[in-house]
Amino acid sequence: MSEHQKIHPVSDPEAPPPPTHPTVPLVSRGSSRSEHGDTTKESVTQPPQLDSPQRKKKGRRSCWCRCVCYTLLVLFLLIVVVGAAVGILYLVFRPKLPDYNIDRLQLTRSILNNQDSSLSTAFNVTITAKNPNEKIGIYYEDGSKISVLYMQTRLSNGSLPKFYQGHENTTIIFVEMTGYTQNATSLMATLLEQQQLTGSIPLRIRVTQPVRIKLGKLKLPEVKFFVRCGVFVDSLAANSVIRVRNSNCKFRFKL
């Protein structure tokens, strides 16, 4: 009967010692290692950045600047187009201002009421209107006003007739005006004194006239003519022709 032997492995004294395992971990806590990267570098993942208030404010400011630039550009283009159109019309039609003159002034009634010191007057005025334009006509519309004043006192009022004035035309206009002035005693005394001292009486004639300009076959929208005339007459004797010594009229229009 054979005996059983237990054989225990015996280390070889000439074999090299087994490799020792490191006690320090290769990767530190809180860091990750790439399979193909450097083990000594850490990879940090940053959270996505949100739009800051300053960035939003800067974006709104940039949008506002673009809107202002576009608006200015459109206005500039409109000014250029309008200017070009006006220049072309001027070269084609060569517009000239109309000319007005007071030719004759007659006081047909001047009655001073002794009871209430009121003054009733009536004037006839002859006006010469000249249109020097070769290609422009003028429509004188309803709604005109003409007044005769001494200093700041309105003596009479009236209106011009409605008519059309053609190219290079001269039109004689007859206008009848009437007026009523209260407390006119001092006014009559001032008129008499003015005539005795200077030999003439300064009057003012104001005209406001709605018109429409005709360029060729094109009839423009209505505008207003304003005529202001300074007239010096020799007297204001009733039922007599008053001699106009000097007349100077200024003209302007308003859209």
Side-chain angles (χ1 to χ4, degrees):
M1 189 172 176
S2 62
E3 295 180 359
H4 296 279
Q5 288 183 340
K6 293 182 179 180
I7 300 175
H8 299 279
V10 179
S11 59
D12 187 0
E14 297 180 357
T20 59
H21 297 282
T23 58
V24 181
L26 298 178
V27 181
S28 61
R29 295 182 179 180
S31 62
S32 60
R33 176 182 176 183
S34 174
E35 294 180 356
H36 304 285
D38 189 358
T39 58
T40 61
K41 295 183 179 180
E42 296 182 359
S43 176
V44 181
T45 303
Q46 298 181 355
Q49 296 183 358
L50 300 177
D51 291 339
S52 62
Q54 293 182 355
R55 184 174 298 179
K56 291 182 179 180
K57 185 177 181 181
K58 186 177 180 181
R60 288 194 297 266
R61 184 179 302 174
S62 177
C63 180
W64 183 81
C65 291
R66 286 196 300 269
C67 292
V68 171
C69 292
Y70 291 151
T71 303
L72 293 177
L73 179 60
V74 171
L75 290 177
F76 176 76
L77 293 176
L78 287 176
I79 292 173
V80 171
V81 171
V82 173
V86 172
I88 293 173
L89 290 176
Y90 179 82
L91 293 176
V92 171
F93 293 98
R94 299 286 183 177
K96 300 177 182 178
L97 294 178
D99 182 64
Y100 301 93
N101 190 53
I102 305 299
D103 295 329
R104 188 170 180 265
L105 183 64
Q106 182 181 9
L107 180 62
T108 59
R109 184 179 72 242
S110 178
I111 301 175
L112 180 63
N113 191 330
N114 295 325
Q115 295 182 354
D116 58 1
S117 299
S118 62
L119 177 65
S120 176
T121 57
F123 284 88
N124 288 342
V125 181
T126 303
I127 304 173
T128 299
K130 297 180 180 180
N131 177 18
N133 295 279
E134 298 178 0
K135 301 179 181 180
I136 299 177
I138 303 175
Y139 288 92
Y140 288 79
E141 303 289 352
D142 291 328
S144 65
K145 296 179 182 179
I146 180 171
S147 303
V148 176
L149 300 94
Y150 174 73
M151 294 185 178
Q152 300 299 325
T153 303
R154 195 181 304 272
L155 300 177
S156 292
N157 300 294
S159 61
L160 275 68
K162 181 179 179 180
F163 67 98
Y164 171 73
Q165 188 174 29
H167 310 153
E168 297 182 313
N169 176 265
T170 299
T171 303
I172 307 299
I173 307 172
F174 299 95
V175 182
E176 295 181 354
M177 297 183 292
T178 59
Y180 179 83
T181 305
Q182 295 180 344
N183 302 322
T185 302
S186 60
L187 173 64
M188 295 299 295
T190 303
L191 287 172
L192 181 60
E193 182 180 0
Q194 178 84 40
Q195 183 178 359
Q196 292 175 350
L197 290 176
T198 63
S200 63
I201 299 175
L203 300 177
R204 291 185 298 158
I205 298 179
R206 294 182 176 180
V207 180
T208 302
Q209 175 65 56
V211 300
R212 298 187 69 178
I213 305 300
K214 184 180 180 182
L215 301 176
K217 295 183 179 181
L218 177 63
K219 195 173 181 181
L220 299 181
E222 184 178 288
V223 298
K224 286 187 177 181
F225 282 0
F226 296 92
V227 183
R228 302 292 183 262
C229 298
V231 180
F232 287 85
V233 298
D234 58 351
S235 68
L236 286 179
N239 298 319
S240 63
V241 177
I242 302 172
R243 188 163 61 94
V244 178
R245 293 187 173 181
N246 187 17
S247 174
N248 182 22
C249 296
K250 297 182 180 180
F251 166 83
R252 66 183 179 92
F253 69 93
K254 182 179 180 181
L255 299 178

